[in-house]
Amino acid sequence: METTATSMRTNSDSVAIRLDRRRLLTGTAALGAATALTTTQPARTTRAQDSTLTIAVIWTPIDFDPHSSYDPGSGFVLSGVYESLIRQRRGDGIVLEPALAASWDRNDDASSWTFHLRPHVTFQDGSPLTAAAARDSFVRQMRLNLAPAGVLGRFITSEDQIVAVDTLTLRFDLGRPQSRFDIAMAAPFGASIMNAAAAMAHEVDGDLGHAWCESNTAGLGTGPYSLTSFDRQSSMVLDHFAGYWGGWNDDQFDTVVIRVVREAETRRQLIERGDVDLVESIGLDSVDDLESNPRLVVDRQTDMTVRYLAITQTEPFLQPAARQALCWAFPYEDVLNGIFLGYGELAQGPVSPNVHGFAAPAPPFTTDLDKARALLDQAGIPQGTKIQTIGFEGGAIAQVIAELYQEYLSQIGIQLDIEIMDYPSYIDLMHGDMPADERPLLFPSFWSPDYDDAWSQLWPLVSCDAWATTNAGHYCNDQVTELLERANNAPDETSYLQALAEIQQIVTYDDPAGIYFALPQWITVLRADIGGFELHPVISSYLDYYAMYRKTG
């Protein structure tokens, strides 16, 4: 991902003030006054009495190009504009269903997959979706080679492997058995189809139209909604695409308004007053009250997300013992019970138990400050050593976790400095190409796989090839690299799962890439009259607006 100059400020209060335990373990929501939002709404059709869905989210969108975007804020927009050939839903496990492809099949050894596109699908500029147009989309993503390219890059390394057989038939020749290819093709990030020809009309200096697509979606998607106006810091407006191939019913929403509201308490006030229909990332200390409100529905689910601190591979923490010390010093139970308030479970590594290929490493880390100090001594790290972590404005939980960890580390002679920046700068720094010795030691983050598979979770976080995209700590372990390759070319499921288990043991415990501490519940609060909501099984910021409606009566 391209990086830009970042604007950071030091959160001096967080660094200078030693917070008492009671304050650290209560009040996890960031408080703030509501800011008035003025949005010019387009004229609504008369299909429904109230045909605008309004949601409030914490994240600022970074990038509207589906071939480079890889952040949750942008996902709330992309989910309405772009579609993939097939999609995944919750069911008995993960259920795959047709989207832009009406059907698909594979050869006997799963080395070749064929997708049969729906007829009469158009992009939002009216041009037809053909197999050639779909191929052009995948080729553009490969040539850009930005973060989402890694999703299918596991399977496809050459443009020649993508074949437009005829007008509506697209074939992928993978060259080796790949039984997980279909579920990867349903990934929200990395498998979206865009109108590459329309993007190329805005090409500048060989950028494949990327600069324009970062801020524009006009005519590019096939989805049910188009982005008609936006201010990244305050709101985005999606209007329904009248020519959508799925058609429209009277009770569906004409317009979706996405408001960026960073303060958790403000989001709570908005949903309680009925000013918005849905909020994400609510303050955990308000969940009980919201669940008792008959006008609201609180949806709580543990998905595939793992919260963690990536550890940068830099001196003096290159030795595994030094990084193990950081893991032993982390306040796991206090974080789960005092900050997540029980709305989550202890992570057992970088992969959630809900993901295909999960294996529990041994032994698990617990909080042991004596063991942590002993390992620091073994690694030659003296008392008084300073390290740094970062956070972003509005990321209340991450900030409070950092402050609690700061207190624990101080007891073993490590000074943790905390720096807060705006969210786009945080994303640029985390996924940028700054050298390891210039990066903060600890990056707070959460991650879920692109699809239901442990390889998809592990490769972005620990592959040497994922530097400057998703491997924030620049982790690189030769044995892990070999095991990732072995898994990707495994001849059978047993070999595949064994390689994944070995990777999880190494990156969690033997040579830690991060501190993996929580499987948080994803909490969504809706007005009780909103129907059709279903949490995406993998990427929680992907909302199916097309399936949602306002109940009557």
Side-chain angles (χ1 to χ4, degrees):
M1 182 177 291
E2 298 171 346
T3 58
T4 60
T6 59
S7 174
M8 297 182 286
R9 64 178 178 83
T10 300
N11 184 4
S12 56
D13 288 343
S14 296
V15 174
I17 299 176
R18 182 180 176 85
L19 299 172
D20 63 80
R21 179 66 52 84
R22 184 173 181 274
R23 172 162 120 57
L24 282 169
L25 298 183
T26 58
T28 62
L31 304 181
T35 302
L37 176 69
T38 302
T39 303
T40 302
Q41 297 288 349
R44 293 200 308 244
T45 70
T46 58
R47 291 202 323 268
Q49 185 177 15
D50 187 349
S51 58
T52 297
L53 174 73
T54 303
I55 71 174
V57 303
I58 184 175
W59 294 286
T60 301
I62 305 299
D63 178 3
F64 298 137
D65 187 335
H67 294 162
S68 57
S69 179
Y70 214 46
D71 67 282
S74 302
F76 287 105
V77 172
L78 301 184
S79 58
V81 177
Y82 295 101
E83 299 174 296
S84 50
L85 295 182
I86 56 179
R87 58 191 170 208
Q88 49 194 323
R89 290 192 179 278
R90 291 181 181 271
D92 184 11
I94 300 296
V95 176
L96 298 181
E97 64 181 25
L100 295 177
S103 63
W104 65 99
D105 50 69
R106 48 172 255 191
N107 64 355
D108 290 342
D109 69 354
S111 64
S112 181
W113 293 76
T114 302
F115 295 83
H116 307 278
L117 276 59
R118 294 179 186 273
H120 314 305
V121 175
T122 67
F123 292 104
Q124 292 175 1
D125 67 352
S127 58
L129 172 66
T130 63
R135 182 186 186 278
D136 289 345
S137 177
F138 288 111
V139 168
R140 178 182 184 270
Q141 179 167 272
M142 293 180 69
R143 292 178 179 178
L144 276 179
N145 196 31
L146 298 174
V151 176
L152 297 181
R154 166 187 181 182
F155 307 98
I156 306 167
T157 58
S158 168
E159 298 172 13
D160 294 337
Q161 293 175 267
I162 312 171
V163 181
V165 178
D166 57 36
T167 304
L168 295 175
T169 307
L170 187 66
R171 190 180 73 239
F172 296 84
D173 295 324
L174 307 182
R176 63 193 189 282
Q178 289 288 357
S179 63
R180 306 295 290 172
F181 183 65
D182 55 346
I183 198 164
M185 287 294 287
F189 291 113
S192 295
I193 302 296
M194 76 172 310
N195 188 342
M200 289 297 293
H202 301 278
E203 183 178 31
V204 176
D205 296 330
D207 74 342
L208 307 183
H210 174 55
W212 186 84
C213 293
E214 285 183 296
S215 300
N216 295 274
T217 68
L220 299 179
T222 61
Y225 294 91
S226 58
L227 179 66
T228 54
S229 65
F230 72 94
D231 178 333
R232 292 187 198 274
Q233 302 303 317
S234 61
S235 68
M236 285 69 65
V237 178
L238 303 175
D239 281 324
H240 81 284
F241 169 43
Y244 180 57
W245 61 266
W248 291 95
N249 297 323
D250 289 345
D251 59 354
Q252 291 173 292
F253 290 108
D254 287 332
T255 302
V256 178
V257 177
I258 305 163
R259 295 179 54 173
V260 178
V261 182
R262 294 183 179 84
E263 301 82 9
E265 183 62 21
T266 305
R267 293 194 296 277
R268 173 182 176 171
Q269 293 169 5
L270 290 171
I271 193 71
E272 288 180 323
R273 291 199 305 258
D275 294 338
V276 300
D277 299 301
L278 181 153
V279 297
E280 301 277 6
S281 302
I282 203 70
L284 297 177
D285 54 355
S286 65
V287 173
D288 285 347
D289 288 342
L290 294 171
E291 287 185 325
S292 67
N293 188 331
R295 296 187 299 275
L296 302 176
V297 173
V298 178
D299 183 87
R300 297 193 285 117
Q301 299 186 52
T302 301
D303 57 11
M304 299 181 182
T305 302
V306 176
R307 289 196 76 134
Y308 66 99
L309 291 169
I311 306 173
T312 303
Q313 307 299 285
T314 186
E315 293 288 1
F317 287 88
L318 284 176
Q319 297 181 56
R323 281 173 275 125
Q324 288 173 342
L326 295 175
C327 296
W328 286 112
F330 191 83
Y332 299 96
E333 292 299 326
D334 279 352
V335 167
L336 283 174
N337 298 322
I339 295 177
F340 285 100
L341 305 181
Y343 297 114
E345 303 169 17
L346 180 65
Q348 300 178 61
V351 179
S352 165
N354 296 329
V355 175
H356 175 78
F358 163 79
F365 284 109
T366 57
T367 306
D368 189 329
L369 295 181
D370 291 337
K371 185 175 290 187
R373 185 61 253 175
L375 286 167
L376 290 173
D377 291 339
Q378 177 184 322
I381 298 177
Q383 298 263 355
T385 296
K386 294 182 179 181
I387 62 176
Q388 184 189 43
T389 188
I390 61 171
F392 59 89
E393 296 167 351
I397 289 179
Q399 291 180 38
V400 177
I401 290 171
E403 291 165 357
L404 180 59
Y405 192 27
Q406 181 184 58
E407 177 183 310
Y408 273 66
L409 287 171
S410 70
Q411 297 177 48
I412 57 173
I414 300 297
Q415 179 180 323
L416 176 63
D417 293 337
I418 304 169
E419 200 164 15
I420 304 300
M421 61 191 70
D422 62 76
Y423 184 68
S425 296
Y426 161 83
I427 290 294
D428 274 343
L429 179 57
M430 183 172 182
H431 300 310
D433 57 2
M434 181 182 290
D437 59 1
E438 298 177 18
R439 300 170 76 80
L441 182 69
L442 301 173
F443 280 89
S445 190
F446 57 91
W447 200 262
S448 58
D450 296 293
Y451 46 93
D452 180 22
D453 190 78
W455 198 98
S456 174
Q457 178 80 344
L458 292 165
W459 190 92
L461 301 185
V462 300
S463 169
C464 306
D465 293 331
W467 287 13
T469 53
T470 51
N471 182 347
H474 287 196
Y475 183 85
C476 191
N477 178 298
D478 290 341
Q479 186 179 0
V480 168
T481 298
E482 189 275 329
L483 286 166
L484 285 168
E485 186 66 17
R486 186 195 306 174
N488 198 37
N489 295 297
D492 54 63
E493 183 75 353
T494 300
S495 302
Y496 182 65
L497 295 178
Q498 178 60 39
L500 294 176
E502 291 183 43
I503 295 169
Q504 291 169 76
Q505 176 66 34
I506 294 169
V507 303
T508 303
Y509 189 84
D510 299 342
D511 184 32
I515 305 167
Y516 308 101
F517 57 85
L519 306 170
Q521 290 184 3
W522 187 275
I523 299 176
T524 307
V525 184
L526 308 94
R527 300 294 298 181
D529 64 346
I530 299 298
F533 169 80
E534 181 180 277
L535 187 70
H536 192 278
V538 180
I539 307 296
S540 299
S541 63
Y542 256 68
L543 297 182
D544 188 352
Y545 307 120
Y546 183 73
M548 298 170 69
Y549 59 93
R550 194 176 303 280
K551 301 174 186 176
T552 59

